[in-house]
Amino acid sequence: MKYSVIDISSSSISLIVAESDGRKTEIVFKDRASISLLHYLDGKILTERGIEKLLEALRIMKDECAGFGVRYCYLISTAALRVIKNCDEVSKAVAEKTGLAVNFLDGKTEAFCDYIANLYYASYEKAVLIDLGGKSLEICDLTKGDKEDMICLDFGLLDIHRKFIKKIQPNEKEAKDIKRFANAKFDDAKLPGKDVFETAVMVGATNHAVYDIYADFADVRGDDGVKQIEYKKFKKLLAHLLGDAERSTLILNNAPEKLYLIGPATIVLKTIFKRFSVKHILVSDRGVKEGYLQLVLEGKESGLYYDFETGTVGGTPREPNEAASKTDTGKPAKKSAGKPRKPAEDKVARAVTEETPAGQEAAPAKRRGRPRKQPAGESEAGKQGE
């Protein structure tokens, strides 16, 4: 059985296609469209052009899902659509033009999805997940497993850019203002200081873009698939981005779609790394989509899905998020006439994996010191009962 998750975020629209044989679930395809819907805002209203761009990208990804033989497709969105005033209008347009129903995730659910997708990194001593978004920032302590322990901060990189940066890239004074602002937000959220975390795990598209730029600047590449960042070299990268005339070229060569976000992202990341005094910095390939799909397949998260076999929308919206409990008519969702079976009832794999190390244990022992290289091999993490 094949499943897919499409995610509407602040700076892109992305897709994963996964296949499950009832014992494990493996990602077989990924795609990403670099569309920042917030660039199509008129105040807090998504313009007609913005809606058209969104619909165009969703149609393409829906066609890709059909081409891969997907049965169930979930469409999710986090702060990207929640923050706009015409959210209901946009959701209705999406339902009418694509047949897809939007499932809105609140901040803690988004953070929890990140957490679920990256439980492997709990094997590292004192690990913390960091996900930088355009309108929110999620931080997850991997030693805690309750959704209420997830931290979602109500500001993002686009908010920072609009508040502090006059041109495309920040200067040194603006960087200091951003650092003070971020630290004040972190203090308000009661984020811990030094000696609580040792390993930072970066997730999300923007963090991946930061790594690509870092790898080019520092002339490093992921060793055996492991992407790591050295803090001292990262500080040099930030200095380069704040003052060097070639900084825009470095960004455009590696992540042109993140031109407005890289400056704020590196400043915020450096602030977090220093605050936590982390010793190791890793970059994960898994994120919200993988975590959401895993929770759905385990029956721990509910949502509306498009059934390619029947051509209808089925499932139930997640609660208690009011925005997620509405269909395009604004009323509570009803099951389609065909009553398609919920994917969770298939009792599929307990983990969504993508080239996960062979022999990975469900609850590996804590490791101390420098993270070791992940061995290559086929994933076993998704097998039930092991």
Side-chain angles (χ1 to χ4, degrees):
M1 184 79 71
K2 288 191 176 73
Y3 306 84
S4 64
V5 179
I6 302 173
D7 179 22
I8 304 171
S9 71
S10 301
S11 58
S12 65
I13 301 172
S14 56
L15 161 72
I16 60 168
V17 175
E19 183 170 11
S20 172
D21 62 4
R23 299 176 67 239
K24 65 179 180 180
T25 302
E26 182 180 3
I27 306 299
V28 297
F29 178 74
K30 289 185 176 185
D31 194 15
R32 182 177 299 276
S34 299
I35 300 173
S36 179
L37 295 181
L38 298 181
H39 290 163
Y40 295 94
L41 289 180
D42 182 4
K44 289 190 175 182
I45 301 293
L46 185 63
T47 63
E48 229 176 276
R49 179 58 177 160
I51 296 175
E52 289 175 359
K53 296 290 287 185
L54 171 61
L55 295 176
E56 179 184 353
L58 291 177
R59 289 191 194 100
I60 292 173
M61 290 187 174
K62 184 181 177 183
D63 288 344
E64 289 177 328
C65 292
F68 274 91
V70 167
R71 174 67 189 274
Y72 299 109
C73 175
Y74 291 84
L75 175 62
I76 63 174
S77 180
T78 50
L81 293 185
R82 286 203 317 264
V83 298
I84 65 175
K85 286 186 176 180
N86 59 336
C87 178
D88 289 341
E89 176 190 342
V90 175
S91 299
K92 182 176 180 180
V94 168
E96 289 178 348
K97 301 298 183 181
T98 70
L100 303 173
V102 183
N103 295 284
F104 293 91
L105 308 188
D106 57 44
K108 284 190 177 294
T109 300
E110 179 181 2
F112 191 62
C113 288
D114 276 332
Y115 166 82
I116 290 296
N118 289 282
L119 277 176
Y120 167 73
Y121 291 98
S123 62
Y124 295 107
E125 187 71 13
K126 299 179 181 179
V128 59
L129 284 178
I130 302 167
D131 188 353
L132 304 184
K135 297 296 294 183
S136 65
L137 190 157
E138 285 73 40
I139 296 177
C140 310
D141 183 344
L142 281 172
T143 66
K144 299 179 180 179
D146 195 300
K147 184 186 291 188
E148 294 307 309
D149 293 321
M150 307 295 112
I151 297 175
C152 178
L153 303 178
D154 61 351
F155 73 96
L157 302 178
L158 287 171
D159 298 312
I160 289 176
H161 195 286
R162 289 175 175 174
K163 185 178 180 67
F164 295 103
I165 302 173
K166 294 181 179 179
K167 297 182 179 180
I168 296 177
Q169 299 300 331
N171 56 37
E172 291 187 7
K173 180 184 180 304
E174 291 167 340
K176 291 179 180 179
D177 292 338
I178 293 170
K179 178 183 176 181
R180 283 194 291 268
F181 171 80
N183 269 323
K185 289 287 189 179
F186 297 156
D187 289 341
D188 291 342
K190 295 181 171 53
L191 257 65
K194 296 181 179 180
D195 301 324
V196 174
F197 301 114
E198 289 188 10
T199 304
V201 183
M202 299 163 57
V203 301
T206 299
N207 279 337
H208 273 276
V210 169
Y211 175 79
D212 289 340
I213 292 169
Y214 165 85
D216 188 1
F217 173 78
D219 194 24
V220 299
R221 288 293 180 268
D223 188 8
D224 293 336
V226 179
K227 297 178 179 179
Q228 302 188 57
I229 289 177
E230 292 184 25
Y231 180 61
K232 290 183 178 180
K233 291 182 179 178
F234 187 82
K235 289 197 298 181
K236 292 180 179 179
L237 170 63
L238 177 56
H240 176 80
L241 293 176
L242 290 178
D244 197 284
E246 297 298 319
R247 59 184 179 178
S248 293
T249 301
L250 181 64
I251 298 173
L252 291 172
N253 285 343
N254 293 280
E257 74 282 1
K258 302 291 185 182
L259 184 62
Y260 290 87
L261 301 183
I262 294 301
T266 51
I267 295 168
V268 171
L269 284 171
K270 195 249 183 181
T271 303
I272 294 175
F273 297 156
K274 183 177 180 180
R275 182 185 185 95
F276 292 161
S277 190
V278 294
K279 298 177 181 178
H280 314 294
I281 304 167
L282 307 175
V283 183
S284 170
D285 287 329
R286 307 179 187 96
V288 174
K289 297 185 294 297
E290 289 84 355
Y292 179 80
L293 181 58
Q294 179 177 333
L295 289 170
V296 166
L297 297 181
E298 292 179 352
K300 297 177 181 178
E301 184 71 25
S302 58
L304 297 170
Y305 55 83
Y306 181 81
D307 186 337
F308 279 91
E309 186 173 298
T310 64
T312 58
V313 172
T316 55
R318 55 180 302 279
E319 297 290 352
N321 190 329
E322 182 180 354
S325 65
K326 296 180 180 180
T327 63
D328 58 303
T329 62
K331 297 179 181 180
K334 296 180 180 180
K335 292 184 179 180
S336 60
K339 293 185 179 180
R341 178 179 58 176
K342 293 181 183 180
E345 294 171 359
D346 292 335
K347 296 182 180 180
V348 294
R350 298 179 62 184
V352 178
T353 66
E354 183 190 13
E355 299 179 355
T356 310
Q360 176 179 315
E361 299 177 351
K366 296 287 184 182
R367 299 191 189 112
R368 296 181 181 272
R370 187 176 181 84
R372 66 175 177 84
K373 297 179 181 178
Q374 300 180 21
E378 184 180 353
S379 168
E380 295 291 317
K383 295 183 179 180
Q384 290 184 335
E386 296 187 0

